[in-house]
Amino acid sequence: SELSAIFNHAVRFYNLRNGAGSVKAPMPGTINDIKVTEGQAVKAGEVLVILEAMKMENEIMSPADGIVKQIAVAKGASVSSGDVLVVVQ
């Protein structure tokens, strides 16, 4: 949807501004799914994590092409705004 596209663009901008390679939670929520593994090559815009917040599933995407260096969360974990989810370098 258009709202989802706007949200994902905002998340990508947020992640680019907030740490080299650290993909952070844009809002508090629960990790519903992890779509990547450590060592995996990813492209910009590829879904890394599904974050459920406010009863909506949000696709958290890679801000850039790179390699997944670290997955800092587990499925089912509660996260706060700004928590590092995945490190992509």
Side-chain angles (χ1 to χ4, degrees), residues 1 10-11 19 28-29 34-35 41 44 51 57 59 62-63 69 75 77 86:
S1 76
V11 168
I34 298 171
K35 299 288 191 181
L51 174 68
E57 287 195 345
E59 295 180 331
S62 181
K69 293 294 183 185
K75 190 173 177 178
V86 179

Side-chain angles (χ1 to χ4, degrees), residues 69-85:
K69 293 294 183 185
Q70 179 186 8
I71 298 172
V73 293
K75 190 173 177 178
S78 291
V79 296
S80 298
S81 184
D83 286 357
V84 175
L85 305 176

Side-chain angles (χ1 to χ4, degrees), residues 3-47:
L3 183 60
S4 178
I6 291 168
F7 175 80
N8 286 325
H9 179 74
V11 168
R12 190 173 305 127
F13 180 75
Y14 173 86
N15 285 329
L16 284 170
R17 299 252 332 207
N18 289 278
S22 294
V23 179
K24 299 178 183 181
M27 63 188 72
T30 303
I31 303 302
N32 269 10
D33 201 5
I34 298 171
K35 299 288 191 181
V36 293
T37 57
E38 289 184 4
Q40 180 178 334
V42 293
K43 297 283 186 193
E46 188 169 337
V47 177

